[in-house]
Each structure stands twice: as structure tokens, then as C-alpha cells.
Amino acid sequence: MDLRLKILHGLPVFADLPHADIEQVNRLFRECGYAPNETICFAGDPAEHLFVVADGRVKLMRHSLSGKNVLLDMLTPGEFFGSLSALGDDFYTDTAEAQTQTCVLSINAADFHRVLENYPKVALKVLEITATRLREAQERVRLLSALSVEGRVANVLLVLGRKFGKRSDVGLLIESPLTRDDLAAMTGTTTE
């Protein structure tokens, strides 16, 4: 319970809420564990929950028309994913898969809608985060259409370095289990 409260306190959407309010919100969340490569939700499933990564890493993927997976993002503790019918999405647009041993917290649509109604600051934060993610998605589309394969790989490595990078004696180490297939999926290319 203490870990859940700590995680919720650390989320940008709840940053302005006092501890007593976080305790109320915490009661609405459920926790669930996933093994590496286990699917948390599938694109096209009914959008019934919003998820928060409590521990581990989650890959967000979208399936292309050609049947390939496009790796959209790798999420770390404190980041949220999924969607809710209460926010206008009837179905999940992305597939979420545990990249490592992962624990997520989930909240159902009706409960999250109540949180938004009861805490306007949370609603404003959700709007801010959504706007930021939209800008990032637009930038990713621009880069995919404008850069060479080498440029796209370099850009993805820079993004991963900012998100997961740790300074070491030999440079910047990206501490994430990342395969060649993952890198290809993130850059819209093939492993070859």
C-alpha cells in the first residue's frame, strides 16, 4: 500500500493533490503483475481501464496494415497508458506488452471519470500530458517521413538515451532490454 501511494504521489497527474486525496484515489486502483512479453491489453479491445506502470517496463505497439508491429514507446514506472471510453475512446488504440517483469495499477473508466470530476487539477494535468504526447507523435511522424534510416536510428537512440541513459566510463549506457527488432520497430524499418 505504501508503494502504491508513493507511485501515485509521483505521477504528474496527481502531483498537486494532498496526501488525503491521494489516499482516496488509491482505493480506486487495482494492481496486477505481468511476466516479460505478456500482453496487458490488445489494440481493439474495449477501452475499460487506464493503466499506470508501478514497476518494470511496458512496450506500447501499434500494428501496421502490413502486419508489422511499430514500437511507439517504452514506458517506465510512473507513466500511464491505455485509454477510456469516458475520454472518448471506445477501444484501445495500442497493444501494451510487459517488456520486463512488470506491475501495473489500473483504474476503470467510471472511477477515473469520478476522479476527473472531483479533482479539476487532475483533469488539467491529463489534458497537458495528452497535448504533450500529441506533439511528440507529430514530431515522430515528421522524423519518420523526413529522415534517412540512419537519421531515424540516431534520433531513436538519442530519445532512448534521454529516457533510459546512464553515464558510464565508456559513455552513455541505455539500460533497457532492446533487441534489433525493437529498434527496427521504433524506426519504421526492418532489421536488415
PDB file of all heavy atoms in Angstrom, residues 86-121:
ATOM      1  N   ALA A  86     -14.627   6.848 -21.233  1.00  0.00           N
ATOM      2  CA  ALA A  86     -15.010   8.122 -20.620  1.00  0.00           C
ATOM      3  C   ALA A  86     -14.251   9.293 -21.233  1.00  0.00           C
ATOM      4  O   ALA A  86     -14.680  10.440 -21.144  1.00  0.00           O
ATOM      5  CB  ALA A  86     -14.763   8.086 -19.115  1.00  0.00           C
ATOM      6  N   LEU A  87     -13.105   9.005 -21.862  1.00  0.00           N
ATOM      7  CA  LEU A  87     -12.319  10.057 -22.509  1.00  0.00           C
ATOM      8  C   LEU A  87     -12.509  10.054 -24.019  1.00  0.00           C
ATOM      9  O   LEU A  87     -11.763  10.699 -24.738  1.00  0.00           O
ATOM     10  CB  LEU A  87     -10.832   9.887 -22.162  1.00  0.00           C
ATOM     11  CG  LEU A  87     -10.488   9.982 -20.677  1.00  0.00           C
ATOM     12  CD1 LEU A  87      -9.005   9.744 -20.463  1.00  0.00           C
ATOM     13  CD2 LEU A  87     -10.897  11.329 -20.112  1.00  0.00           C
ATOM     14  N   GLY A  88     -13.497   9.331 -24.505  1.00  0.00           N
ATOM     15  CA  GLY A  88     -13.827   9.374 -25.923  1.00  0.00           C
ATOM     16  C   GLY A  88     -13.305   8.214 -26.743  1.00  0.00           C
ATOM     17  O   GLY A  88     -13.524   8.169 -27.942  1.00  0.00           O
ATOM     18  N   ASP A  89     -12.596   7.280 -26.140  1.00  0.00           N
ATOM     19  CA  ASP A  89     -12.081   6.133 -26.880  1.00  0.00           C
ATOM     20  C   ASP A  89     -12.852   4.888 -26.479  1.00  0.00           C
ATOM     21  O   ASP A  89     -12.854   4.501 -25.317  1.00  0.00           O
ATOM     22  CB  ASP A  89     -10.590   5.918 -26.580  1.00  0.00           C
ATOM     23  CG  ASP A  89      -9.724   7.031 -27.120  1.00  0.00           C
ATOM     24  OD1 ASP A  89      -9.996   7.510 -28.234  1.00  0.00           O
ATOM     25  OD2 ASP A  89      -8.770   7.416 -26.426  1.00  0.00           O
ATOM     26  N   ASP A  90     -13.493   4.266 -27.450  1.00  0.00           N
ATOM     27  CA  ASP A  90     -14.234   3.043 -27.160  1.00  0.00           C
ATOM     28  C   ASP A  90     -13.332   1.813 -27.115  1.00  0.00           C
ATOM     29  O   ASP A  90     -13.650   0.828 -26.474  1.00  0.00           O
ATOM     30  CB  ASP A  90     -15.330   2.835 -28.203  1.00  0.00           C
ATOM     31  CG  ASP A  90     -16.423   3.884 -28.104  1.00  0.00           C
ATOM     32  OD1 ASP A  90     -16.665   4.375 -26.985  1.00  0.00           O
ATOM     33  OD2 ASP A  90     -17.023   4.214 -29.134  1.00  0.00           O
ATOM     34  N   PHE A  91     -12.182   1.892 -27.837  1.00  0.00           N
ATOM     35  CA  PHE A  91     -11.273   0.764 -27.931  1.00  0.00           C
ATOM     36  C   PHE A  91      -9.837   1.229 -27.716  1.00  0.00           C
ATOM     37  O   PHE A  91      -9.507   2.367 -28.030  1.00  0.00           O
ATOM     38  CB  PHE A  91     -11.386   0.083 -29.306  1.00  0.00           C
ATOM     39  CG  PHE A  91     -12.781  -0.387 -29.606  1.00  0.00           C
ATOM     40  CD1 PHE A  91     -13.644   0.379 -30.367  1.00  0.00           C
ATOM     41  CD2 PHE A  91     -13.230  -1.599 -29.111  1.00  0.00           C
ATOM     42  CE1 PHE A  91     -14.933  -0.040 -30.628  1.00  0.00           C
ATOM     43  CE2 PHE A  91     -14.525  -2.030 -29.365  1.00  0.00           C
ATOM     44  CZ  PHE A  91     -15.378  -1.248 -30.125  1.00  0.00           C
ATOM     45  N   TYR A  92      -8.998   0.342 -27.202  1.00  0.00           N
ATOM     46  CA  TYR A  92      -7.579   0.656 -27.082  1.00  0.00           C
ATOM     47  C   TYR A  92      -6.989   0.788 -28.479  1.00  0.00           C
ATOM     48  O   TYR A  92      -7.249  -0.034 -29.348  1.00  0.00           O
ATOM     49  CB  TYR A  92      -6.819  -0.441 -26.319  1.00  0.00           C
ATOM     50  CG  TYR A  92      -7.246  -0.605 -24.877  1.00  0.00           C
ATOM     51  CD1 TYR A  92      -7.714  -1.824 -24.412  1.00  0.00           C
ATOM     52  CD2 TYR A  92      -7.159   0.454 -23.981  1.00  0.00           C
ATOM     53  CE1 TYR A  92      -8.090  -1.986 -23.093  1.00  0.00           C
ATOM     54  CE2 TYR A  92      -7.542   0.306 -22.657  1.00  0.00           C
ATOM     55  CZ  TYR A  92      -8.009  -0.908 -22.222  1.00  0.00           C
ATOM     56  OH  TYR A  92      -8.380  -1.065 -20.919  1.00  0.00           O
ATOM     57  N   THR A  93      -6.187   1.817 -28.673  1.00  0.00           N
ATOM     58  CA  THR A  93      -5.560   2.020 -29.985  1.00  0.00           C
ATOM     59  C   THR A  93      -4.219   1.311 -30.090  1.00  0.00           C
ATOM     60  O   THR A  93      -3.731   1.078 -31.193  1.00  0.00           O
ATOM     61  CB  THR A  93      -5.364   3.523 -30.266  1.00  0.00           C
ATOM     62  OG1 THR A  93      -4.594   4.088 -29.201  1.00  0.00           O
ATOM     63  CG2 THR A  93      -6.701   4.242 -30.365  1.00  0.00           C
ATOM     64  N   ASP A  94      -3.615   0.973 -28.937  1.00  0.00           N
ATOM     65  CA  ASP A  94      -2.299   0.351 -28.933  1.00  0.00           C
ATOM     66  C   ASP A  94      -2.334  -0.958 -28.145  1.00  0.00           C
ATOM     67  O   ASP A  94      -3.175  -1.143 -27.269  1.00  0.00           O
ATOM     68  CB  ASP A  94      -1.267   1.276 -28.274  1.00  0.00           C
ATOM     69  CG  ASP A  94      -1.233   2.650 -28.906  1.00  0.00           C
ATOM     70  OD1 ASP A  94      -1.339   2.734 -30.145  1.00  0.00           O
ATOM     71  OD2 ASP A  94      -1.108   3.646 -28.160  1.00  0.00           O
ATOM     72  N   THR A  95      -1.392  -1.821 -28.447  1.00  0.00           N
ATOM     73  CA  THR A  95      -1.185  -3.029 -27.661  1.00  0.00           C
ATOM     74  C   THR A  95      -0.084  -2.733 -26.657  1.00  0.00           C
ATOM     75  O   THR A  95       0.946  -2.165 -27.010  1.00  0.00           O
ATOM     76  CB  THR A  95      -0.775  -4.207 -28.563  1.00  0.00           C
ATOM     77  OG1 THR A  95      -1.875  -4.512 -29.433  1.00  0.00           O
ATOM     78  CG2 THR A  95      -0.419  -5.439 -27.755  1.00  0.00           C
ATOM     79  N   ALA A  96      -0.300  -3.100 -25.404  1.00  0.00           N
ATOM     80  CA  ALA A  96       0.703  -2.916 -24.356  1.00  0.00           C
ATOM     81  C   ALA A  96       1.209  -4.282 -23.931  1.00  0.00           C
ATOM     82  O   ALA A  96       0.418  -5.190 -23.667  1.00  0.00           O
ATOM     83  CB  ALA A  96       0.106  -2.177 -23.167  1.00  0.00           C
ATOM     84  N   GLU A  97       2.526  -4.422 -23.876  1.00  0.00           N
ATOM     85  CA  GLU A  97       3.152  -5.687 -23.525  1.00  0.00           C
ATOM     86  C   GLU A  97       4.232  -5.438 -22.475  1.00  0.00           C
ATOM     87  O   GLU A  97       5.005  -4.477 -22.591  1.00  0.00           O
ATOM     88  CB  GLU A  97       3.776  -6.286 -24.785  1.00  0.00           C
ATOM     89  CG  GLU A  97       4.470  -7.594 -24.601  1.00  0.00           C
ATOM     90  CD  GLU A  97       5.072  -8.076 -25.907  1.00  0.00           C
ATOM     91  OE1 GLU A  97       4.299  -8.535 -26.779  1.00  0.00           O
ATOM     92  OE2 GLU A  97       6.310  -7.995 -26.053  1.00  0.00           O
ATOM     93  N   ALA A  98       4.290  -6.287 -21.475  1.00  0.00           N
ATOM     94  CA  ALA A  98       5.340  -6.172 -20.464  1.00  0.00           C
ATOM     95  C   ALA A  98       6.676  -6.486 -21.123  1.00  0.00           C
ATOM     96  O   ALA A  98       6.827  -7.515 -21.774  1.00  0.00           O
ATOM     97  CB  ALA A  98       5.070  -7.128 -19.309  1.00  0.00           C
ATOM     98  N   GLN A  99       7.637  -5.589 -20.962  1.00  0.00           N
ATOM     99  CA  GLN A  99       8.973  -5.823 -21.505  1.00  0.00           C
ATOM    100  C   GLN A  99       9.825  -6.579 -20.496  1.00  0.00           C
ATOM    101  O   GLN A  99      10.665  -7.388 -20.856  1.00  0.00           O
ATOM    102  CB  GLN A  99       9.629  -4.492 -21.870  1.00  0.00           C
ATOM    103  CG  GLN A  99      10.961  -4.646 -22.548  1.00  0.00           C
ATOM    104  CD  GLN A  99      11.569  -3.315 -22.917  1.00  0.00           C
ATOM    105  OE1 GLN A  99      11.263  -2.295 -22.320  1.00  0.00           O
ATOM    106  NE2 GLN A  99      12.440  -3.326 -23.911  1.00  0.00           N
ATOM    107  N   THR A 100       9.591  -6.295 -19.218  1.00  0.00           N
ATOM    108  CA  THR A 100      10.275  -6.951 -18.108  1.00  0.00           C
ATOM    109  C   THR A 100       9.193  -7.446 -17.152  1.00  0.00           C
ATOM    110  O   THR A 100       8.008  -7.237 -17.399  1.00  0.00           O
ATOM    111  CB  THR A 100      11.185  -5.962 -17.372  1.00  0.00           C
ATOM    112  OG1 THR A 100      10.379  -4.909 -16.837  1.00  0.00           O
ATOM    113  CG2 THR A 100      12.255  -5.384 -18.288  1.00  0.00           C
ATOM    114  N   GLN A 101       9.603  -8.073 -16.052  1.00  0.00           N
ATOM    115  CA  GLN A 101       8.629  -8.382 -15.001  1.00  0.00           C
ATOM    116  C   GLN A 101       7.998  -7.053 -14.600  1.00  0.00           C
ATOM    117  O   GLN A 101       8.705  -6.109 -14.259  1.00  0.00           O
ATOM    118  CB  GLN A 101       9.327  -9.040 -13.812  1.00  0.00           C
ATOM    119  CG  GLN A 101       8.407  -9.602 -12.782  1.00  0.00           C
ATOM    120  CD  GLN A 101       7.651 -10.834 -13.295  1.00  0.00           C
ATOM    121  OE1 GLN A 101       8.166 -11.619 -14.069  1.00  0.00           O
ATOM    122  NE2 GLN A 101       6.420 -10.983 -12.865  1.00  0.00           N
ATOM    123  N   THR A 102       6.676  -6.956 -14.652  1.00  0.00           N
ATOM    124  CA  THR A 102       6.004  -5.667 -14.522  1.00  0.00           C
ATOM    125  C   THR A 102       4.807  -5.747 -13.593  1.00  0.00           C
ATOM    126  O   THR A 102       4.093  -6.738 -13.571  1.00  0.00           O
ATOM    127  CB  THR A 102       5.528  -5.193 -15.924  1.00  0.00           C
ATOM    128  OG1 THR A 102       6.657  -5.086 -16.788  1.00  0.00           O
ATOM    129  CG2 THR A 102       4.826  -3.857 -15.864  1.00  0.00           C
ATOM    130  N   CYS A 103       4.611  -4.666 -12.849  1.00  0.00           N
ATOM    131  CA  CYS A 103       3.407  -4.491 -12.045  1.00  0.00           C
ATOM    132  C   CYS A 103       2.741  -3.208 -12.516  1.00  0.00           C
ATOM    133  O   CYS A 103       3.402  -2.170 -12.654  1.00  0.00           O
ATOM    134  CB  CYS A 103       3.758  -4.392 -10.568  1.00  0.00           C
ATOM    135  SG  CYS A 103       2.308  -4.088  -9.512  1.00  0.00           S
ATOM    136  N   VAL A 104       1.449  -3.292 -12.813  1.00  0.00           N
ATOM    137  CA  VAL A 104       0.702  -2.096 -13.213  1.00  0.00           C
ATOM    138  C   VAL A 104      -0.461  -1.880 -12.247  1.00  0.00           C
ATOM    139  O   VAL A 104      -0.990  -2.818 -11.658  1.00  0.00           O
ATOM    140  CB  VAL A 104       0.166  -2.179 -14.664  1.00  0.00           C
ATOM    141  CG1 VAL A 104       1.291  -2.269 -15.668  1.00  0.00           C
ATOM    142  CG2 VAL A 104      -0.803  -3.309 -14.846  1.00  0.00           C
ATOM    143  N   LEU A 105      -0.822  -0.624 -12.110  1.00  0.00           N
ATOM    144  CA  LEU A 105      -2.030  -0.247 -11.383  1.00  0.00           C
ATOM    145  C   LEU A 105      -3.062   0.125 -12.434  1.00  0.00           C
ATOM    146  O   LEU A 105      -2.732   0.769 -13.430  1.00  0.00           O
ATOM    147  CB  LEU A 105      -1.760   0.956 -10.471  1.00  0.00           C
ATOM    148  CG  LEU A 105      -0.633   0.819  -9.468  1.00  0.00           C
ATOM    149  CD1 LEU A 105      -0.460   2.121  -8.690  1.00  0.00           C
ATOM    150  CD2 LEU A 105      -0.889  -0.340  -8.527  1.00  0.00           C
ATOM    151  N   SER A 106      -4.303  -0.281 -12.237  1.00  0.00           N
ATOM    152  CA  SER A 106      -5.345   0.067 -13.207  1.00  0.00           C
ATOM    153  C   SER A 106      -6.541   0.670 -12.489  1.00  0.00           C
ATOM    154  O   SER A 106      -6.806   0.383 -11.328  1.00  0.00           O
ATOM    155  CB  SER A 106      -5.777  -1.164 -14.012  1.00  0.00           C
ATOM    156  OG  SER A 106      -6.434  -2.095 -13.183  1.00  0.00           O
ATOM    157  N   ILE A 107      -7.239   1.525 -13.233  1.00  0.00           N
ATOM    158  CA  ILE A 107      -8.458   2.151 -12.727  1.00  0.00           C
ATOM    159  C   ILE A 107      -9.498   2.053 -13.834  1.00  0.00           C
ATOM    160  O   ILE A 107      -9.175   2.249 -15.011  1.00  0.00           O
ATOM    161  CB  ILE A 107      -8.200   3.615 -12.293  1.00  0.00           C
ATOM    162  CG1 ILE A 107      -9.439   4.225 -11.635  1.00  0.00           C
ATOM    163  CG2 ILE A 107      -7.681   4.460 -13.441  1.00  0.00           C
ATOM    164  CD1 ILE A 107      -9.188   5.574 -10.963  1.00  0.00           C
ATOM    165  N   ASN A 108     -10.734   1.728 -13.464  1.00  0.00           N
ATOM    166  CA  ASN A 108     -11.750   1.577 -14.511  1.00  0.00           C
ATOM    167  C   ASN A 108     -12.291   2.944 -14.940  1.00  0.00           C
ATOM    168  O   ASN A 108     -12.056   3.961 -14.285  1.00  0.00           O
ATOM    169  CB  ASN A 108     -12.863   0.621 -14.088  1.00  0.00           C
ATOM    170  CG  ASN A 108     -13.744   1.172 -12.996  1.00  0.00           C
ATOM    171  OD1 ASN A 108     -14.120   2.340 -12.988  1.00  0.00           O
ATOM    172  ND2 ASN A 108     -14.100   0.328 -12.047  1.00  0.00           N
ATOM    173  N   ALA A 109     -12.997   2.944 -16.042  1.00  0.00           N
ATOM    174  CA  ALA A 109     -13.464   4.178 -16.664  1.00  0.00           C
ATOM    175  C   ALA A 109     -14.350   5.007 -15.739  1.00  0.00           C
ATOM    176  O   ALA A 109     -14.165   6.224 -15.608  1.00  0.00           O
ATOM    177  CB  ALA A 109     -14.203   3.853 -17.962  1.00  0.00           C
ATOM    178  N   ALA A 110     -15.313   4.377 -15.089  1.00  0.00           N
ATOM    179  CA  ALA A 110     -16.243   5.124 -14.233  1.00  0.00           C
ATOM    180  C   ALA A 110     -15.515   5.767 -13.055  1.00  0.00           C
ATOM    181  O   ALA A 110     -15.763   6.936 -12.721  1.00  0.00           O
ATOM    182  CB  ALA A 110     -17.353   4.199 -13.728  1.00  0.00           C
ATOM    183  N   ASP A 111     -14.579   5.037 -12.449  1.00  0.00           N
ATOM    184  CA  ASP A 111     -13.829   5.583 -11.316  1.00  0.00           C
ATOM    185  C   ASP A 111     -12.927   6.734 -11.755  1.00  0.00           C
ATOM    186  O   ASP A 111     -12.817   7.754 -11.073  1.00  0.00           O
ATOM    187  CB  ASP A 111     -13.003   4.496 -10.634  1.00  0.00           C
ATOM    188  CG  ASP A 111     -13.857   3.534  -9.825  1.00  0.00           C
ATOM    189  OD1 ASP A 111     -14.996   3.900  -9.449  1.00  0.00           O
ATOM    190  OD2 ASP A 111     -13.395   2.406  -9.572  1.00  0.00           O
ATOM    191  N   PHE A 112     -12.272   6.574 -12.906  1.00  0.00           N
ATOM    192  CA  PHE A 112     -11.394   7.660 -13.364  1.00  0.00           C
ATOM    193  C   PHE A 112     -12.213   8.900 -13.729  1.00  0.00           C
ATOM    194  O   PHE A 112     -11.788  10.028 -13.479  1.00  0.00           O
ATOM    195  CB  PHE A 112     -10.532   7.211 -14.540  1.00  0.00           C
ATOM    196  CG  PHE A 112      -9.441   8.193 -14.864  1.00  0.00           C
ATOM    197  CD1 PHE A 112      -8.393   8.385 -13.974  1.00  0.00           C
ATOM    198  CD2 PHE A 112      -9.459   8.919 -16.030  1.00  0.00           C
ATOM    199  CE1 PHE A 112      -7.379   9.289 -14.250  1.00  0.00           C
ATOM    200  CE2 PHE A 112      -8.456   9.825 -16.325  1.00  0.00           C
ATOM    201  CZ  PHE A 112      -7.410  10.010 -15.434  1.00  0.00           C
ATOM    202  N   HIS A 113     -13.373   8.690 -14.288  1.00  0.00           N
ATOM    203  CA  HIS A 113     -14.261   9.814 -14.614  1.00  0.00           C
ATOM    204  C   HIS A 113     -14.630  10.563 -13.333  1.00  0.00           C
ATOM    205  O   HIS A 113     -14.647  11.803 -13.311  1.00  0.00           O
ATOM    206  CB  HIS A 113     -15.508   9.306 -15.339  1.00  0.00           C
ATOM    207  CG  HIS A 113     -16.277  10.379 -16.022  1.00  0.00           C
ATOM    208  ND1 HIS A 113     -17.341  11.017 -15.428  1.00  0.00           N
ATOM    209  CD2 HIS A 113     -16.111  10.951 -17.231  1.00  0.00           C
ATOM    210  CE1 HIS A 113     -17.811  11.917 -16.243  1.00  0.00           C
ATOM    211  NE2 HIS A 113     -17.089  11.913 -17.339  1.00  0.00           N
ATOM    212  N   ARG A 114     -14.896   9.836 -12.262  1.00  0.00           N
ATOM    213  CA  ARG A 114     -15.186  10.473 -10.970  1.00  0.00           C
ATOM    214  C   ARG A 114     -13.987  11.261 -10.449  1.00  0.00           C
ATOM    215  O   ARG A 114     -14.135  12.350  -9.889  1.00  0.00           O
ATOM    216  CB  ARG A 114     -15.628   9.428  -9.940  1.00  0.00           C
ATOM    217  CG  ARG A 114     -17.126   9.131  -9.991  1.00  0.00           C
ATOM    218  CD  ARG A 114     -17.600   8.412  -8.728  1.00  0.00           C
ATOM    219  NE  ARG A 114     -16.979   7.109  -8.524  1.00  0.00           N
ATOM    220  CZ  ARG A 114     -17.360   5.991  -9.137  1.00  0.00           C
ATOM    221  NH1 ARG A 114     -18.360   6.014  -9.995  1.00  0.00           N
ATOM    222  NH2 ARG A 114     -16.754   4.853  -8.888  1.00  0.00           N
ATOM    223  N   VAL A 115     -12.796  10.707 -10.627  1.00  0.00           N
ATOM    224  CA  VAL A 115     -11.584  11.424 -10.202  1.00  0.00           C
ATOM    225  C   VAL A 115     -11.474  12.746 -10.963  1.00  0.00           C
ATOM    226  O   VAL A 115     -11.190  13.793 -10.371  1.00  0.00           O
ATOM    227  CB  VAL A 115     -10.316  10.558 -10.425  1.00  0.00           C
ATOM    228  CG1 VAL A 115      -9.050  11.379 -10.252  1.00  0.00           C
ATOM    229  CG2 VAL A 115     -10.316   9.365  -9.483  1.00  0.00           C
ATOM    230  N   LEU A 116     -11.712  12.706 -12.265  1.00  0.00           N
ATOM    231  CA  LEU A 116     -11.633  13.932 -13.068  1.00  0.00           C
ATOM    232  C   LEU A 116     -12.676  14.960 -12.630  1.00  0.00           C
ATOM    233  O   LEU A 116     -12.392  16.163 -12.608  1.00  0.00           O
ATOM    234  CB  LEU A 116     -11.794  13.614 -14.556  1.00  0.00           C
ATOM    235  CG  LEU A 116     -10.691  12.760 -15.191  1.00  0.00           C
ATOM    236  CD1 LEU A 116     -11.019  12.473 -16.643  1.00  0.00           C
ATOM    237  CD2 LEU A 116      -9.333  13.426 -15.052  1.00  0.00           C
ATOM    238  N   GLU A 117     -13.863  14.492 -12.299  1.00  0.00           N
ATOM    239  CA  GLU A 117     -14.916  15.409 -11.836  1.00  0.00           C
ATOM    240  C   GLU A 117     -14.591  16.005 -10.466  1.00  0.00           C
ATOM    241  O   GLU A 117     -14.820  17.185 -10.233  1.00  0.00           O
ATOM    242  CB  GLU A 117     -16.259  14.674 -11.751  1.00  0.00           C
ATOM    243  CG  GLU A 117     -16.893  14.391 -13.089  1.00  0.00           C
ATOM    244  CD  GLU A 117     -18.173  13.578 -12.952  1.00  0.00           C
ATOM    245  OE1 GLU A 117     -18.430  12.974 -11.872  1.00  0.00           O
ATOM    246  OE2 GLU A 117     -18.930  13.541 -13.934  1.00  0.00           O
ATOM    247  N   ASN A 118     -14.059  15.184  -9.563  1.00  0.00           N
ATOM    248  CA  ASN A 118     -13.797  15.631  -8.197  1.00  0.00           C
ATOM    249  C   ASN A 118     -12.526  16.450  -8.050  1.00  0.00           C
ATOM    250  O   ASN A 118     -12.390  17.215  -7.091  1.00  0.00           O
ATOM    251  CB  ASN A 118     -13.729  14.434  -7.243  1.00  0.00           C
ATOM    252  CG  ASN A 118     -15.066  13.744  -7.109  1.00  0.00           C
ATOM    253  OD1 ASN A 118     -16.112  14.343  -7.306  1.00  0.00           O
ATOM    254  ND2 ASN A 118     -15.031  12.459  -6.786  1.00  0.00           N
ATOM    255  N   TYR A 119     -11.571  16.276  -8.968  1.00  0.00           N
ATOM    256  CA  TYR A 119     -10.289  16.962  -8.866  1.00  0.00           C
ATOM    257  C   TYR A 119      -9.960  17.645 -10.197  1.00  0.00           C
ATOM    258  O   TYR A 119      -9.273  17.073 -11.048  1.00  0.00           O
ATOM    259  CB  TYR A 119      -9.180  15.969  -8.496  1.00  0.00           C
ATOM    260  CG  TYR A 119      -9.479  15.185  -7.238  1.00  0.00           C
ATOM    261  CD1 TYR A 119      -9.920  13.864  -7.305  1.00  0.00           C
ATOM    262  CD2 TYR A 119      -9.325  15.767  -5.979  1.00  0.00           C
ATOM    263  CE1 TYR A 119     -10.196  13.145  -6.150  1.00  0.00           C
ATOM    264  CE2 TYR A 119      -9.604  15.054  -4.822  1.00  0.00           C
ATOM    265  CZ  TYR A 119     -10.038  13.742  -4.913  1.00  0.00           C
ATOM    266  OH  TYR A 119     -10.313  13.037  -3.775  1.00  0.00           O
ATOM    267  N   PRO A 120     -10.444  18.873 -10.397  1.00  0.00           N
ATOM    268  CA  PRO A 120     -10.204  19.579 -11.665  1.00  0.00           C
ATOM    269  C   PRO A 120      -8.719  19.718 -12.015  1.00  0.00           C
ATOM    270  O   PRO A 120      -8.363  19.726 -13.197  1.00  0.00           O
ATOM    271  CB  PRO A 120     -10.836  20.951 -11.433  1.00  0.00           C
ATOM    272  CG  PRO A 120     -11.822  20.749 -10.335  1.00  0.00           C
ATOM    273  CD  PRO A 120     -11.278  19.644  -9.480  1.00  0.00           C
ATOM    274  N   LYS A 121      -7.842  19.810 -11.009  1.00  0.00           N
ATOM    275  CA  LYS A 121      -6.408  19.907 -11.295  1.00  0.00           C
ATOM    276  C   LYS A 121      -5.904  18.650 -11.998  1.00  0.00           C
ATOM    277  O   LYS A 121      -5.016  18.718 -12.845  1.00  0.00           O
ATOM    278  CB  LYS A 121      -5.615  20.131 -10.001  1.00  0.00           C
ATOM    279  CG  LYS A 121      -5.781  21.515  -9.428  1.00  0.00           C
ATOM    280  CD  LYS A 121      -4.944  21.684  -8.189  1.00  0.00           C
ATOM    281  CE  LYS A 121      -5.102  23.090  -7.630  1.00  0.00           C
ATOM    282  NZ  LYS A 121      -4.270  23.317  -6.450  1.00  0.00           N
TER     283      LYS A 121
END
